[in-house]
Amino acid sequence: FVQLEYIKASLDYLRIKWIETDCCECDDYIAMIAQQFDGKVFISSTDTDFFQLVNDWVKIIKFKGKNSVLIDKQYIYRCYGINPEDFVLYKALVGDSSDNIRGIDNVGPKTAKKIINSILDSDNNRFFAIYNKNIDLITRNLQLIKLPNKEMDHTCIDLKDLSVNFELIKNFKPLKIISEITKEL
């Protein structure tokens, strides 16, 4: 936290627009903006939670210097064998240690792909049976992955209750509080 003021000053100097809030986690707010923005969106992050947002107009930039990657629908399908809209279920099946989400025992990436595909293909009963047997844990995991951070219940606002003034975002000088660009519906 002691570095925040230096980071803000650096962003101001570089004329990079920034906002801060204590109403929700940053990734939840970024997701909300990406879903509401009318135009192309590029999110620079290594957080795979954003993969679920990828579509024809939302892409992820995974910055690795000269080896940076642009993550689009084809990239996710090539790497995981699933569509972006199935990524939350994928994480619920395999787990995510960075988010303290325990996956299904003996289910790794290959089996998760087969389970997801078996939901669409009823002939693949063996993998659908694994899904059905673990539905309670999968449901709990899905809730953990999808719920925004509610640690500060007295200040948190449900993201669907926020709307964004995009004209202000396009033109604003660096802002200090999120309320200047959001309003309750």
Side-chain angles (χ1 to χ4, degrees), residues 107-136:
V107 173
K110 289 179 185 175
T111 305
K113 173 186 163 186
K114 290 176 183 176
I115 290 170
I116 291 168
N117 290 328
S118 75
I119 294 169
L120 305 172
D121 175 16
S122 58
D123 292 337
N124 217 334
N125 291 333
R126 182 175 139 224
F127 293 102
F128 190 64
I130 296 170
Y131 175 82
N132 281 334
K133 180 181 172 192
N134 293 285
I135 194 69
D136 290 341

Side-chain angles (χ1 to χ4, degrees), residues 43-46 60-71:
I43 300 169
S44 179
S45 178
T46 57
I60 311 299
I61 299 169
K62 191 174 187 179
F63 185 75
K64 295 180 176 180
K66 291 180 183 178
N67 299 318
S68 295
V69 178
L70 180 65
I71 299 167

Side-chain angles (χ1 to χ4, degrees), residues 3 23 42 64 74-75 97-98 118 144 147 159 170-171:
Q3 296 179 1
C23 79
F42 295 91
K64 295 180 176 180
Q74 292 77 18
Y75 177 92
S97 59
S98 68
S118 75
L144 287 171
L147 284 178
L159 291 180
K170 289 177 186 174
N171 301 316

